Amino acid sequence: MDALLIIFGILLLLSGWLGLVMTAWRQSLGHFFAAVLLAPVLLLVRGRGFAVWPRVMLLAGLLMLAGGLWWLQQQQPERFDALVSGHWSSAEPVSETSLSGHLMGQAFRPTQVFWAGQDLVLEERDAHRLRRSLRLRFSMLDHLPASGLQWLPGDEGPWPEVVMQWHDGALSAPGWRQVNAPYTLIITPQDRDHQRLLLDLRLPANYQTAVRGSVTLQQTPEWLQRGSTVAATEPEPVAAEPLVPVAEASADSWQLLSLMALVEQPADYIGQEVRLVTWSGRTHQGRLQGISDNQRLVLLQHHGASQVALHFNPLDVRSVEARPLK
């Protein structure tokens, strides 16, 4: 809506200015130069022979342009600042993104990812408008976890605030949702400058929201580099190793897996004994058979002479553990 107001305001401004210049040309040379150089000032002039209808169009254009800019500043202040400062290229700060997933049960493929202060913003846009967006507000946190950019449901918290917005068309009302409940968020930096990130976000099942993939950003906020540097330089306490035989420990131990890595590269885990826990609290154990065509985790269980294949939606899975192959 803000874009339409700005565009129509500019068109009315140009039309009113052109009409004012053409009507002034028919009167005198002084009127012509006044219309060319001082068109906005002529809105306050009365009884000087200037036509009324071009000035009405000029006034309407100014009002629509001001209204569109005000709306843009209220809804998207970072884009307003970029527009006013003339740095229009900063509106598309992402050079590469392969993020995908679901937002409130709808397919979500962000086309723009950028930092807005201490907020990481994921936006899906088409040629005309913003369709869906997800904002991670790290500004709500006093400090980052000592373990890095990782938040799991079993942690003490607090978690970054998640704000979701979606709009499917003119015939449907826009949606807005805010999430503060525990969820899974793992951000893995791939370089020293934290410009390339691996993102794994999974909200509780009732939100039907999950986003995974990698993204390369053109800039990284200073607070993130400082926070991660402090966390990386803090000495970690060295725990005493238990006096357990190596063979026995490796056979009975379970290793926590990344659900994102499991979905993207299932070939590395096929055949392993897997134990997964759903958000409803149920635990299932079996051999991983692979990923089905509709992106479901397939777990194979043996019941006597028969076999049962269980299919799980990754959005319903809270954690996955695997036992190494013998």
Side-chain angles (χ1 to χ4, degrees):
M1 188 63 182
D2 51 0
L4 292 177
L5 286 175
I6 294 174
I7 292 174
F8 282 113
I10 294 175
L11 290 177
L12 282 176
L13 272 175
L14 294 177
S15 300
W17 175 78
L18 184 60
L20 190 62
V21 170
M22 293 178 61
T23 56
W25 172 258
R26 300 171 185 173
Q27 297 178 5
S28 66
L29 192 60
H31 284 74
F32 172 76
F33 282 111
V36 172
L37 302 177
L38 302 173
V41 179
L42 297 180
L43 295 174
L44 306 176
V45 175
R46 298 179 58 185
R48 297 292 182 176
F50 292 99
V52 176
W53 66 266
R55 290 189 287 173
V56 172
M57 294 180 63
L58 198 64
L59 179 60
L62 285 174
L63 293 177
M64 292 185 67
L65 180 59
L69 292 175
W70 177 83
W71 198 327
L72 180 63
Q73 196 276 334
Q74 294 295 320
Q75 299 296 325
Q76 303 181 49
E78 65 278 355
R79 298 193 180 279
F80 174 81
D81 295 338
L83 180 63
V84 173
S85 61
H87 299 119
W88 302 311
S89 60
S90 63
E92 297 182 358
V94 179
S95 57
E96 179 185 354
T97 176
S98 61
L99 296 173
S100 62
H102 293 79
L103 190 147
M104 296 303 295
Q106 302 172 352
F108 181 49
R109 297 187 64 87
T111 56
Q112 298 179 7
V113 183
F114 55 92
W115 287 101
Q118 291 182 264
D119 297 347
L120 183 60
V121 183
L122 289 69
E123 293 185 347
E124 178 183 347
R125 289 180 172 271
D126 55 21
H128 305 287
R129 58 185 172 85
L130 175 66
R131 293 179 56 86
R132 299 175 184 88
S133 70
L134 187 148
R135 179 182 291 259
L136 295 170
R137 290 182 171 174
F138 295 93
S139 56
M140 308 298 295
L141 304 179
D142 295 332
H143 59 275
L144 296 177
S147 59
L149 301 176
Q150 176 174 304
W151 290 265
L152 301 175
D155 297 343
E156 296 181 358
W159 280 258
E161 186 180 70
V162 179
V163 178
M164 297 178 288
Q165 295 179 341
W166 61 94
H167 185 69
D168 295 327
L171 300 180
S172 60
W176 183 89
R177 201 72 179 269
Q178 181 178 352
V179 181
N180 292 316
Y183 58 88
T184 298
L185 174 62
I186 301 175
I187 300 179
T188 307
Q190 298 297 295
D191 55 11
R192 180 177 298 178
D193 297 332
H194 292 68
Q195 292 184 342
R196 180 170 177 80
L197 305 174
L198 290 180
L199 177 67
D200 184 3
L201 170 66
R202 286 171 283 146
L203 300 186
N206 57 307
Y207 292 102
Q208 301 181 36
T209 298
V211 182
R212 304 180 185 90
S214 62
V215 61
T216 302
L217 304 173
Q218 290 188 354
Q219 58 182 358
T220 303
E222 296 182 359
W223 67 268
L224 178 59
Q225 296 184 5
R226 291 198 305 267
S228 60
T229 302
V230 173
T233 55
E234 288 182 354
E236 297 183 357
V238 179
E241 297 184 357
L243 299 177
V244 179
V246 176
E248 180 181 354
S250 60
D252 297 335
S253 61
W254 291 88
Q255 298 178 357
L256 184 65
L257 300 181
S258 170
L259 186 60
M260 179 178 65
L262 182 61
V263 174
E264 292 183 350
Q265 298 178 347
D268 298 340
Y269 307 97
I270 291 179
Q272 286 186 268
E273 188 175 0
V274 173
R275 180 175 65 186
L276 59 85
V277 180
T278 64
W279 287 101
S280 61
R282 296 183 178 180
T283 302
H284 302 271
Q285 183 174 337
R287 295 284 178 179
L288 181 65
Q289 189 176 18
I291 306 296
S292 64
D293 296 335
N294 55 354
Q295 297 297 307
R296 295 296 192 270
L297 295 174
V298 182
L299 209 63
L300 195 63
Q301 293 183 344
H302 295 273
H303 297 277
S306 60
Q307 295 181 346
V308 177
L310 303 179
H311 294 247
F312 298 91
N313 188 334
L315 296 177
D316 298 332
V317 179
R318 178 176 180 178
S319 63
V320 181
E321 297 174 308
R323 180 175 293 171
L325 293 173
K326 298 181 180 180

